[in-house]
Amino acid sequence: MSEKRDGLFARAEEVLSVFRRGAEFTQELLKENERLRRAVAEYQTQQLAASDEHAWEKLRCELIGRIQSLEGERDDMLERLRQIEGENRHFAERYLEIEEENNNLASLYVASYQLHSTLDLSEVVQIVVEIVINLVGAEIFAIYILDERTQVLSPVASEGRELGEFLPCALGQGMIGAAVATGETQTGDAAGPDDVERPLVCVPLRVQERPIGAIAIHKLLQQKDGFSALDHELFTLLGGHAATAVFAARLYSQSERKLNTIQGFIDLLTK
Amino acid sequence: MARHRILIVEDSPTMRQLLVFALKRLKDVEIIEAQDGMDGLRKVSSDHFDLALVDINMPVMDGLKLISLIRGEDNLKDMPIIVITTEGAREDRERALALGANEYLTKPIQANKVLRVAQGLLKAE
């Protein structure tokens, strides 16, 4: 009986030992399982991180591309801005040029209008005087008219000095005579206002090839430094239009005189 | 009715025409011309003007005399006056400004400069 019981105990011990080993093994399996699960989770985390890094790299590339594109746009904008600034400067300069042209044209228009506003010789001469004072800015000058019969240029109006101080001169002689004979504007060496034979500038008045007279400028107003582009335009205008106005006024005066003479004869014959 | 009335007192028809030409670019102005100082005084005494442009060397009455008479009148002492003259010396300028001129421009004038100065005085008024 006792042997049987000892056998049973031994079997029970064996079974218990097996169970204990099974429990230990199970514990080991559980630990291993836990370790493996952690490893899997770690791998998964790493994989996810690897995946985010790729996305970040992609995003970074896109952002760099965008920045480059924006920098390109900014450069284009700056270039366009520079172009617009350049255009603005050009327009501002052009505006000033046009403004100056406008002023010049106004002066030329007024000079031309005034010159052809009368057929009276003394009025024409007075208008030339006004133009030379007010539009050119001369202080001392004289206007000469050519006597076609004697071929002598005589002063008919002056400013800044008495008329008698300006001397007549023969066509082709001296600076004034040469200017009228050649039809070329002569510029002197600024000998000074005292030298009446050597003006600062001498503008010939001619109708086509026909010499009419001259404007001799000896001194400019103190606030005027020199001749401008407008002055040269005015000289050209005076050279032609003042000559035409003087010529027309003389013709008108002659025709009036002849008409009066004829009228006198007719009155004498019909009375 | 024009917004501004401008008087030009100048004996030279050429200068008057050039000044009218320049000032016509101002909007809504009426420009009246006087051919000497006396004519200018008559006009300025009988009508209202917002601005006067006055030459110095004129027959009958010169510009400086006209300016001193204008400044002597209570109702005219604030009217802006621009002197336009051939006299470029500093003492001439100082004399005109001392008499009451607001601006002093020397000939030969530039239309755009006259316009700018006139605009400035009309705005300031």
Side-chain angles (χ1 to χ4, degrees):
Chain A
M1 181 78 176
S2 164
E3 281 176 14
K4 202 175 173 181
R5 216 170 66 183
D6 288 342
L8 278 172
F9 277 117
R11 289 283 299 272
E13 275 300 316
E14 240 175 86
V15 170
L16 279 172
S17 166
V18 169
F19 277 141
R20 269 198 292 272
R21 281 205 297 274
E24 282 169 10
F25 186 63
T26 304
Q27 284 293 330
E28 278 175 25
L29 281 176
L30 283 170
K31 280 181 184 168
E32 184 63 18
N33 184 313
E34 187 61 28
R35 191 183 63 79
L36 287 171
R37 282 178 67 182
R38 272 203 295 273
V40 167
E42 219 168 90
Y43 286 134
Q44 279 180 337
T45 308
Q46 278 177 0
Q47 196 182 7
L48 195 66
S51 162
D52 278 354
E53 204 167 289
H54 180 71
W56 168 244
E57 183 61 28
K58 195 178 160 192
L59 183 64
R60 196 174 69 89
C61 288
E62 280 176 11
L63 286 171
I64 288 169
R66 183 87 185 109
I67 288 166
Q68 282 170 345
S69 157
L70 286 170
E71 279 179 344
E73 277 179 32
R74 189 203 59 180
D75 290 345
D76 288 348
M77 294 276 214
L78 285 173
E79 182 57 32
R80 184 83 191 104
L81 187 68
R82 270 193 290 274
Q83 280 177 4
I84 290 168
E85 280 175 348
E87 280 174 16
N88 279 349
R89 266 196 302 277
H90 173 72
F91 284 132
E93 285 165 9
R94 198 74 195 103
Y95 176 80
L96 289 176
E97 281 172 18
I98 290 168
E99 189 76 1
E100 198 180 329
E101 288 268 315
N102 196 24
N103 291 336
N104 295 354
L105 286 172
S107 298
L108 293 171
Y109 166 78
V110 168
S112 173
Y113 181 93
Q114 290 292 330
L115 281 171
H116 297 294
S117 63
T118 179
L119 282 169
D120 184 286
L121 184 59
S122 61
E123 283 181 16
V124 170
V125 170
Q126 184 53 37
I127 288 165
V128 175
V129 169
E130 280 185 17
I131 290 169
V132 178
I133 296 173
N134 295 304
L135 303 188
V136 176
E139 188 178 334
I140 301 174
F141 64 93
I143 296 163
Y144 293 78
I145 299 286
L146 179 72
D147 183 327
E148 290 185 337
R149 194 174 50 82
T150 60
Q151 295 288 288
V152 170
L153 288 152
S154 302
V156 292
S158 70
E159 188 69 28
R161 282 172 155 241
E162 291 298 317
L163 187 61
E165 292 181 43
F166 295 95
L167 305 172
C169 64
L171 186 67
Q173 286 183 1
M175 192 174 150
I176 298 165
V180 179
T182 60
E184 298 284 331
T185 296
Q186 304 272 322
T187 44
D189 51 4
D194 293 335
D195 190 346
V196 291
E197 289 184 348
R198 287 166 64 197
L200 203 57
V201 67
C202 182
V203 183
L205 308 179
R206 288 164 70 98
V207 177
Q208 292 175 327
E209 295 304 309
R210 191 179 187 138
I212 300 293
I215 300 166
I217 298 173
H218 293 267
K219 191 183 173 197
L220 297 174
L221 292 170
Q222 71 171 82
Q223 63 269 24
K224 195 169 162 88
D225 298 330
F227 294 115
S228 63
L230 172 64
D231 296 330
H232 292 287
E233 296 272 0
L234 280 166
F235 293 155
T236 308
L237 181 133
L238 285 167
H241 288 247
T244 310
V246 168
F247 186 68
R250 281 162 92 179
L251 278 183
Y252 181 74
S253 163
Q254 283 167 11
S255 66
E256 279 287 290
R257 270 205 308 273
K258 281 180 184 166
L259 190 67
N260 286 339
T261 310
I262 292 165
Q263 191 63 51
F265 271 122
I266 292 169
D267 289 347
L268 199 67
L269 291 169
T270 53
K271 273 181 184 171
Chain B
M1 192 177 163
R3 198 156 60 94
H4 294 299
R5 299 185 85 236
I6 300 175
L7 178 67
I8 297 171
V9 190
E10 164 69 75
D11 61 320
S12 158
T14 308
M15 269 309 287
R16 285 205 304 271
Q17 192 184 13
L18 188 64
L19 291 171
V20 170
F21 209 87
L23 295 169
K24 266 187 181 171
R25 287 170 66 187
L26 289 170
K27 279 184 189 161
D28 212 12
V29 290
E30 186 182 0
I31 301 164
I32 311 294
E33 298 175 41
Q35 57 191 10
D36 57 57
M38 189 57 83
D39 189 18
L41 186 63
R42 263 196 302 271
K43 284 176 174 155
V44 90
S45 305
S46 57
D47 261 324
H48 167 78
F49 290 97
D50 301 292
L51 175 68
L53 284 83
V54 179
D55 183 20
I56 296 285
N57 300 316
M58 288 186 290
V60 189
M61 180 194 289
D62 69 36
L64 293 177
K65 176 81 179 159
L66 174 64
I67 293 169
S68 64
L69 289 172
I70 287 174
R71 289 302 182 231
E73 295 289 324
D74 275 350
N75 58 330
L76 296 174
K77 65 178 191 291
D78 294 327
M79 181 182 70
I81 298 174
I82 302 172
V83 168
I84 295 178
T85 177
T86 52
E87 312 300 331
R90 196 163 56 96
E91 51 270 30
D92 293 316
R93 169 187 289 269
E94 284 169 359
R95 196 182 316 139
L97 295 175
L99 280 171
N102 298 72
E103 291 285 347
Y104 191 91
L105 303 179
T106 52
K107 294 176 186 177
I109 59 144
Q110 285 194 312
N112 60 339
K113 191 168 183 185
V114 175
L115 190 67
R116 256 201 317 274
V117 172
Q119 261 173 334
L121 287 173
L122 288 171
K123 269 183 197 162
E125 196 200 21

